[in-house]
Amino acid sequence: MAAPLTLLLLVAVTIRGVLFRSNLAEIISERVEVVSPLNAWKRVVEGLALLDLGVSPYSGDVFHETPLMIYLFHFLVDYAEIVFMIADGITAVALYLSVQIYNKNVFRKQKYALESERYPADCLELLRSPKEMFYIPLKVAMFYLLNPFTILSCVAKSTCGLNNAIIALFILCTLKGSALLSGILLALATYQSMYPLTLFAPALLFFLQRLYIPVNLRRSSFWFFTLQYAFIYFGSLIVITGLSFFLLGSWDFIPSVYGFILSVPDLTPNIGLFWYFFAEMFEHFRLFFICVFQINVFFYTIPLSIKLKEHPVFLMFMQIAIISIFKSYPTVGDVALYMAFLPAWSHLYRFLRNIFLVSCVLLACSALFPVLWHLWIYAGSANSNFYYAITLLFNFGQILLVSDYFYAYLRREHHLTHGLYLKKKDGTEATLVLK
Amino acid sequence: MGLLSDPNRRKALTNLLTRLNTPICVVCYLAAIVWFMGLAFEPFTLRTYMSENAMGSTMVEERFSAGERALAAAKEFNAHKRKADGMPVEWLVKAMQARGLEVFTQSFFQKLPFPDENKERYMVRGTNVYGILRAPRAPRTEALVISAPCTPGGTNNQAVGILLGLAQYFRNQVYWAKDIIFLVNEHDLIGMQAWLEGYHHTNITGMEYSPLQGRAGSIQAALSLELSSDVITSLDLVLEGLNGQLPNLDLANLFYAFCQKLNVLCTIQGKLQRNDWDSAEGYTHAAQTMMLMVLKQASGRSWGDHGLFLRYHIEAASIRGINSFRHYKMDATTIGRLLEGMVRKLNNLLERLHQSYFFYLLPSLSRFVSIGYYMPAFGLLAVILLLRALDLWVHLGAPVLSEVDGVSEAEQPSSPGVLSVLTPVVISHLTGVALYILPVYLQDMAVEHFPVSETEAVVLTALAIYTAGLALPHNTQRLLSGEGTEQGWKVLKLTSLLYLAVLLGCTALINFSLGFILAVTLVPVTASITPHMLKSVSALAMVLLSPAFTIFYCVLIYQELMEAPVSLPEGLTIFLSVISQGILDHALYGSLVYPLLALFVYPCWLMFWNILFWK
């Protein structure tokens, strides 16, 4: 399998290289869909210039990257294009390996269950075969590397690609079972963009499951491991933050990065839900609604963790998707990360209900974003409402996609325990409804 | 959300949509046509009204009275123009300076990609002259433009004369809050392009021009005046700009309001307004006016010098004087007063014109159709594509979706290789790229080998590539070594339908007329095409409804509506010149119609052509 992956990487690098050299790169790096105030390359360059002048890069209201990021580019700024291409490569390989491990686990579990005859007899067709699973890791890597969203994001040199790489590495380490590395990388991801904080729950659930520790609040082993993992996580978070403090010699970056993410002062249009809403709002409601919107991102962790506590990897996918939909400055790079996972759930295809509608909506919206932007900003004939309508539709499509996969996953699990052909009490065929 | 989550209702809906697919599509198509034609019917349209407060409620009094002097200046200008055989720069500079303006000139040079045979130009060198009247009452942050083109021959002298007359009169008034720029541009649109690019420090088309020495504030609105005789019977308003962009409707309202006030006959598309909307003739008249607007807008050309302003977010319109030998006549003073009134109202603006509509169609000057009324006509056509796509989707996943919520046993039919779908798509698009690039690049070679002029070479190469594209499907199939499966063409058609729907949707948003015309011709044939149809008949139908033929029909209809019907050979000549103009418009001003047709619409149509010959 190494050969196709290498070929894929070569193709991906070629496409990116060509685009970097063309004059499209400049246009792409200006698109609001691709870069946000948080991760625009232009702002990184500005921050670097300030740093070189001996001024704090956070003075002024332009730079919102973390200190480690700026020091990384302090040394690598001349090789930025290569760094971004490598980051995409790392993400793809990490996802490839993670899905491979995940598939192995799934298959092993399925074998045990089969041997212990836990599946109803009519469910055999729902089981997954190695043949079907063989190409999935490659497809995942392909979905990430050749996704136009990823390519755009990489060509625009949006630092979102680096964050994605960290998250992908975190997933890999988690699936490999290394609690230490997983905790450190999760801390790094949190440090970078804060929202991956919610990935703590699926990672913890995964390790607990792996070590056969039941999720039971009265068991000391549960608390012991939870505290251990939390200690690794918060410990490395504190170390990283402290390191940033010593690098810069000030705490300026806390309000500039995390305050900026949480309080959403920059209302440049993007593909998210925040900008229009807060641009229209009366100032005295602002704090309240910011709390509501931000809690919204984190809130789903609790019910989803309870519902999916047996399936931490799927929970991870759901969390990443929710973050990329509801975060304050989303870009298409974030969308690309969770879309890469879709081939891993290809066995759910038969239970998906709205996939046609969703793909039409997402396709149409992707095409309409630049068109309506043009009409609004350049032609002056449309206005922000037109653009926001498409943003809403795009997010509606994403939410529908994620909830569709959620439903399909639950439904398959239900069938695996209760049999494929459900009967109502009166003997007629039953249908499952998500309410 | 009930519809999306309740399996039984979903199933019922899907069943209904697949069983009644064809009738629904036919009904949608007819409804779209009827809806569109109904737009011209007066009771369905809205009366225009002034939305901008700053222009609506304030009164202005027109006092311009130097019409005769303006005509004298026009005669002098004509004499000097003849002497200089082009723009009489020195005289014009002096004349403007004598009227108290700050005068500047800008020279420009543009080499066309190939000779323009309509206007007989290839290497264009010229000079723009403009004078700025500084606003006495406000900081110089905003400006208005009045322009008149300096065209070769005896036309448009009167416009320059009135421009000078107005400059002299405006100079003595104290109420100006915006700088007023009086611009005389040479070589119509090319000069205007050079001046606008110079003014805004951009260079989109690679033109050479000298930088502007004098500048006023940001331009809020512009009027372009074209007059060719001393006495005028009516004034025509031209709104259609580059890429089908239109100025704010308030500008048209302003013009109409002043025509009413000064008792001036005004037309749009050269058609007077009629009052008998309830008679058949009245309706036909309105429909013709609207159709003319749709055709002009769809062409994506700038139909007057104002068209290039719109790109810079400046509301602009052209006013064209027409002398059609009616009894009713007006002199230069009236036209001067009309302009004076319009400029004074624009001078009152507190912000850019934005209150009224930007998307509209005009069946007459006093009636308009807004985007909310005309979009359903397009929507009905787009729905057909989506319905067909849904139908195909259901058929493709038949075992899965027919029992959407009960669970099915049937194994998924092996999906066709990605390659078998991707190859036609890629080949079609490569043909499109060839159609876009080759005609201009190959002109030298074509001229060497064939007895044609450069312009003919470009147009004929384009047509040759277009025709050659039709031969491709057979080659595609051979490349795939006979791999066409039943599933294959369905997947390809599904892709093509969605592609076409998105493409037309985007087009219609930017330029409704173009999107609608393409949809009317492309939708019926693309929605119904399958490989199992009678090849010869359906191939003929497809070719007759292909984009090139659509352009040809538009040319014929346009000529018919302009009351200058042409025979087929004449129509063909015009068709060829329209294509060369389209390519030139793209190269000179950045019109998007040619690249859109070559790079997207034509390849998309080729994909359907491919389906027809699927083996």
Side-chain angles (χ1 to χ4, degrees):
Chain A
M1 285 299 282
L5 187 64
T6 320
L7 189 70
L8 180 66
L9 283 169
L10 276 179
V11 171
V13 168
T14 316
I15 294 175
R16 286 162 171 75
V18 169
L19 281 175
F20 270 130
R21 292 282 158 265
S22 74
N23 49 8
L24 280 176
E26 202 178 331
I27 304 169
I28 294 171
S29 61
E30 297 282 318
R31 302 293 321 172
V32 286
E33 296 88 0
V34 184
V35 295
S36 72
L38 268 183
N39 55 25
W41 178 247
K42 226 165 60 178
R43 291 171 186 255
V44 177
V45 174
E46 176 74 18
L48 282 173
L50 288 176
L51 192 70
D52 288 343
L53 288 174
V55 184
S56 160
Y58 299 102
S59 56
D61 191 36
V62 174
F63 184 72
H64 304 288
E65 296 286 347
T66 52
L68 284 188
M69 196 58 111
I70 193 168
Y71 274 95
L72 174 75
F73 281 114
H74 189 65
F75 299 112
L76 292 176
V77 69
D78 295 333
Y79 312 103
E81 294 175 4
I82 299 171
V83 171
F84 282 104
M85 285 200 263
I86 291 177
D88 271 10
I90 290 176
T91 316
V93 174
L95 289 178
Y96 177 89
L97 294 174
S98 331
V99 172
Q100 213 168 28
I101 298 168
Y102 172 67
N103 276 349
K104 242 179 246 164
N105 289 348
V106 167
F107 191 67
R108 206 180 50 227
K109 246 183 237 167
Q110 185 176 293
K111 208 171 82 185
Y112 290 145
L114 259 184
E115 279 164 7
S116 57
E117 290 179 350
R118 250 184 284 151
Y119 290 137
D122 57 354
C123 276
L124 291 180
E125 61 177 280
L126 284 184
L127 298 184
R128 309 185 60 189
S129 64
K131 190 172 140 247
E132 165 234 344
M133 285 154 84
F134 185 67
Y135 283 109
I136 286 179
L138 190 66
K139 278 187 194 161
V140 169
M142 195 159 85
F143 254 60
Y144 187 74
L145 281 179
L146 300 185
N147 189 338
F149 287 164
T150 326
I151 296 174
L152 288 177
S153 183
C154 178
V155 173
K157 295 195 261 189
S158 150
T159 51
C160 179
L162 299 178
N163 298 349
N164 282 354
I166 295 172
I167 296 178
L169 283 177
F170 152 72
I171 296 171
L172 178 63
C173 291
T174 312
L175 288 174
K176 280 252 184 202
S178 158
L180 179 68
L181 274 180
S182 151
I184 293 174
L185 282 165
L186 182 59
L188 198 58
T190 315
Y191 168 78
Q192 276 295 334
S193 58
M194 213 180 72
Y195 290 111
L197 170 68
T198 57
L199 295 178
F200 182 83
L204 181 66
L205 285 172
F206 182 83
F207 284 120
L208 291 174
Q209 196 184 51
R210 191 185 150 84
L211 300 171
Y212 304 106
I213 304 174
V215 183
N216 187 339
L217 296 184
R218 263 168 285 173
R219 291 278 282 273
S220 62
S221 60
F222 167 77
W223 283 110
F224 179 68
F225 186 80
T226 308
L227 286 176
Q228 198 182 350
Y229 190 65
F231 179 74
I232 299 174
Y233 172 62
F234 286 111
S236 25
L237 198 58
I238 289 167
V239 168
I240 295 169
T241 321
L243 193 65
S244 309
F245 171 70
F246 290 119
L247 276 176
L248 277 181
S250 81
W251 291 110
D252 282 351
F253 69 96
I254 301 273
S256 249
V257 179
Y258 307 111
F260 187 76
I261 294 176
L262 283 177
S263 65
V264 205
D266 191 319
L267 300 179
T268 316
N270 56 31
I271 58 170
L273 298 165
F274 278 67
W275 63 274
Y276 185 86
F277 203 83
F278 287 101
E280 294 287 313
M281 190 175 302
F282 288 120
E283 200 54 38
H284 51 275
F285 292 125
R286 193 182 158 90
L287 183 65
F288 172 69
F289 275 102
I290 278 187
C291 294
V292 172
F293 269 61
Q294 296 287 8
I295 289 171
N296 184 37
V297 190
F298 297 101
F299 179 75
Y300 297 103
T301 316
I302 302 163
L304 284 178
S305 307
I306 295 168
K307 189 75 198 168
L308 291 172
K309 65 174 184 285
E310 305 293 323
H311 312 281
V313 178
F314 190 74
L315 176 59
M316 224 177 261
F317 160 74
M318 292 292 295
Q319 285 295 342
I320 294 174
I322 284 171
I323 290 173
S324 82
I325 296 170
F326 293 115
K327 74 191 277 192
S328 46
Y329 303 101
T331 58
V332 289
D334 298 301
V335 178
L337 180 64
Y338 83 81
M339 282 200 171
F341 278 96
L342 296 185
W345 322 119
S346 57
H347 58 286
L348 302 178
Y349 178 77
R350 58 192 299 172
F351 298 118
L352 292 178
R353 300 161 308 164
N354 299 319
I355 193 72
F356 178 68
L357 181 72
V358 168
S359 29
C360 284
V361 166
L362 292 183
L363 247 170
C365 287
S366 312
L368 285 175
F369 272 129
V371 169
L372 288 169
W373 182 259
H374 170 87
L375 284 180
W376 174 22
I377 301 296
Y378 296 105
S381 36
N383 54 38
S384 56
N385 300 323
F386 289 57
Y387 192 75
Y388 189 60
I390 292 305
T391 311
L392 270 186
L393 195 62
F394 186 67
N395 283 301
F396 163 75
Q398 288 191 76
I399 292 167
L400 206 58
L401 178 76
V402 172
S403 55
D404 217 13
Y405 269 97
F406 180 59
Y407 166 80
Y409 195 90
L410 290 184
R411 175 133 177 238
R412 180 170 175 272
E413 292 305 319
H414 186 85
H415 281 309
L416 282 180
T417 43
H418 295 97
L420 194 50
Y421 297 100
L422 304 171
K423 297 273 185 262
K424 277 185 196 162
K425 280 195 183 115
D426 55 0
T428 55
E429 196 181 319
T431 51
L432 285 179
V433 181
L434 181 74
K435 275 189 176 155
Chain B
M1 293 300 281
L3 204 59
L4 290 177
S5 57
D6 184 339
N8 296 326
R9 266 188 269 170
R10 282 167 60 89
K11 205 155 102 184
L13 185 72
T14 329
N15 277 345
L16 190 76
L17 285 182
T18 40
R19 203 161 349 105
L20 295 178
N21 203 283
T22 315
I24 294 179
C25 287
V26 173
V27 168
C28 277
Y29 188 78
L30 294 178
I33 303 290
V34 170
W35 186 292
F36 179 72
M37 292 320 291
L39 293 177
F41 191 49
E42 197 169 308
F44 298 159
T45 58
L46 298 171
R47 177 169 285 282
T48 52
Y49 54 92
M50 189 75 82
S51 304
E52 176 63 56
N53 278 331
M55 297 199 309
S57 55
T58 50
M59 293 292 290
V60 293
E61 194 178 340
E62 302 82 30
R63 295 205 175 132
F64 178 74
S65 57
E68 292 305 317
R69 216 184 301 163
L71 290 181
K75 287 215 179 71
E76 208 176 326
F77 172 71
N78 190 20
H80 284 276
K81 187 164 84 173
R82 238 178 254 160
K83 212 194 293 170
D85 192 25
M87 185 88 140
V89 180
E90 277 174 35
W91 179 84
L92 205 55
V93 169
K94 271 189 199 134
M96 281 190 176
Q97 270 165 351
R99 285 161 175 82
L101 304 180
E102 285 177 37
V103 188
F104 307 94
T105 58
Q106 180 204 28
S107 57
F108 58 88
F109 172 72
Q110 169 79 299
K111 181 170 173 276
L112 273 55
F114 56 91
D116 182 352
E117 289 191 345
N118 285 26
K119 289 182 174 157
E120 290 172 355
R121 55 190 182 187
Y122 183 46
M123 310 278 243
V124 182
R125 194 180 291 278
T127 313
N128 294 323
V129 179
Y130 64 102
I132 303 174
L133 171 64
R134 297 295 181 185
R137 290 192 57 160
R140 298 157 177 181
T141 51
E142 293 178 337
L144 301 171
V145 173
I146 310 177
S147 78
C150 165
T151 44
T155 54
N156 264 332
N157 300 322
Q158 284 78 0
V160 178
I162 289 191
L163 206 71
L164 292 174
L166 281 176
Q168 187 162 23
Y169 172 72
F170 283 180
R171 180 76 177 81
N172 298 322
Q173 310 305 319
V174 289
Y175 41 64
W176 298 116
K178 294 179 174 42
D179 293 350
I180 299 176
I181 302 173
F182 296 90
L183 167 68
V184 180
N185 56 313
E186 204 178 357
H187 297 298
D188 48 69
L189 284 171
I190 297 184
M192 193 54 99
Q193 171 90 0
W195 190 79
L196 280 170
E197 291 198 345
Y199 199 91
H200 294 103
H201 284 301
T202 55
N203 198 340
I204 311 168
T205 50
M207 184 187 270
E208 292 168 32
Y209 54 80
S210 59
L212 296 190
Q213 300 299 324
R215 204 176 248 94
S218 88
I219 304 173
Q220 304 291 303
L223 294 172
S224 172
L225 186 65
E226 292 172 30
L227 292 180
S228 298
S229 70
D230 292 355
V231 180
I232 295 296
T233 52
S234 63
L235 286 177
D236 189 47
L237 182 68
V238 187
L239 297 170
E240 298 85 2
L242 194 70
N243 290 328
Q245 215 180 326
L246 300 169
N248 196 284
L249 186 58
D250 268 346
L251 203 62
N253 297 339
L254 184 68
F255 171 76
Y256 182 64
F258 273 97
C259 286
Q260 297 284 346
K261 187 176 174 193
L262 297 172
N263 252 330
V264 173
L265 276 187
C266 52
T267 61
I268 188 156
Q269 323 300 350
K271 299 213 182 259
L272 275 174
Q273 194 170 342
R274 292 174 64 132
N275 292 325
D276 52 342
W277 59 268
D278 44 356
S279 70
E281 290 87 39
Y283 168 73
T284 326
H285 188 79
Q288 282 177 348
T289 316
M290 191 180 77
M291 272 309 291
L292 270 175
M293 177 160 187
V294 167
L295 287 172
K296 281 184 174 178
Q297 196 190 10
S299 75
R301 306 185 59 183
S302 171
W303 287 81
D305 283 358
H306 71 282
L308 299 176
F309 280 99
L310 299 171
R311 179 194 283 157
Y312 299 94
H313 216 152
I314 300 165
E315 306 313 319
S318 287
I319 297 170
R320 200 166 277 165
I322 292 172
N323 188 359
S324 56
F325 311 107
R326 282 202 189 83
H327 294 300
Y328 186 89
K329 292 192 181 0
M330 57 184 158
D331 53 2
T333 309
T334 321
I335 299 166
R337 286 197 172 163
L338 184 107
L339 281 174
E340 183 203 348
M342 286 181 73
V343 173
R344 280 198 64 183
K345 286 257 189 174
L346 289 172
N347 180 51
N348 286 343
L349 280 181
L350 296 175
E351 43 191 339
R352 277 173 197 278
L353 285 176
H354 68 280
Q355 298 278 5
S356 194
Y357 296 82
F358 283 96
F359 299 101
Y360 52 87
L361 295 175
L362 294 171
S364 74
L365 250 180
S366 62
R367 294 264 161 189
F368 76 102
V369 183
S370 78
I371 183 168
Y373 288 84
Y374 66 62
M375 253 335 187
F378 175 80
L380 284 168
L381 290 177
V383 157
I384 297 179
L385 296 176
L386 294 180
L387 278 178
R388 298 305 290 190
L390 180 72
D391 187 43
L392 272 177
W393 173 263
V394 173
H395 280 300
L396 269 177
V400 179
L401 267 182
S402 62
E403 292 179 61
V404 140
D405 236 74
V407 184
S408 58
E409 305 93 273
E411 182 71 5
Q412 260 276 298
S414 63
S415 62
V418 181
L419 272 183
S420 72
V421 177
L422 208 59
T423 328
V425 176
V426 171
I427 290 184
S428 307
H429 280 85
L430 287 181
T431 321
V433 172
L435 179 60
Y436 175 63
I437 293 174
L438 289 185
V440 177
Y441 266 74
L442 289 184
Q443 51 172 322
D444 294 334
M445 210 164 81
V447 170
E448 238 170 68
H449 294 282
F450 301 98
V452 286
S453 71
E454 275 98 345
T455 319
E456 284 168 341
V458 170
V459 175
L460 294 180
T461 318
L463 286 182
I465 296 171
Y466 187 91
T467 322
L470 304 189
L472 275 177
H474 313 287
N475 301 342
T476 321
Q477 294 305 316
R478 241 172 266 151
L479 271 180
L480 289 171
S481 58
E483 206 195 317
T485 54
E486 193 70 357
Q487 292 283 328
W489 75 261
K490 281 187 179 163
V491 173
L492 179 60
K493 187 172 174 188
L494 181 68
T495 324
S496 317
L497 280 173
L498 290 179
Y499 180 39
L500 186 64
V502 171
L503 184 61
L504 290 179
C506 291
T507 313
L509 271 176
I510 293 179
N511 184 343
F512 165 77
S513 304
L514 183 61
F516 185 76
I517 288 177
L518 284 175
V520 166
T521 50
L522 285 177
V523 164
V525 61
T526 50
S528 56
I529 208 80
T530 63
H532 309 304
M533 299 163 88
L534 194 58
K535 288 276 189 301
S536 51
V537 178
S538 36
L540 186 68
M542 270 208 83
V543 171
L544 285 181
L545 290 173
S546 74
F549 274 86
T550 310
I551 301 177
F552 184 58
Y553 303 142
C554 287
V555 168
L556 292 183
I557 296 172
Y558 179 75
Q559 292 296 336
E560 190 69 39
L561 291 174
M562 290 300 281
E563 289 160 16
V566 287
S567 62
L568 275 186
E570 284 169 336
L572 205 62
T573 326
I574 301 176
F575 168 69
L576 296 181
S577 83
V578 161
I579 292 177
S580 74
Q581 291 298 314
I583 299 177
L584 271 181
D585 276 351
H586 172 58
L588 292 180
Y589 320 119
S591 152
L592 291 175
V593 175
Y594 174 56
L596 176 82
L597 289 180
L599 293 175
F600 297 105
V601 178
Y602 173 63
C604 188
W605 179 84
L606 269 188
M607 278 152 72
F608 287 100
W609 180 256
N610 226 308
I611 293 166
L612 179 64
F613 289 98
W614 193 269
K615 280 179 193 149

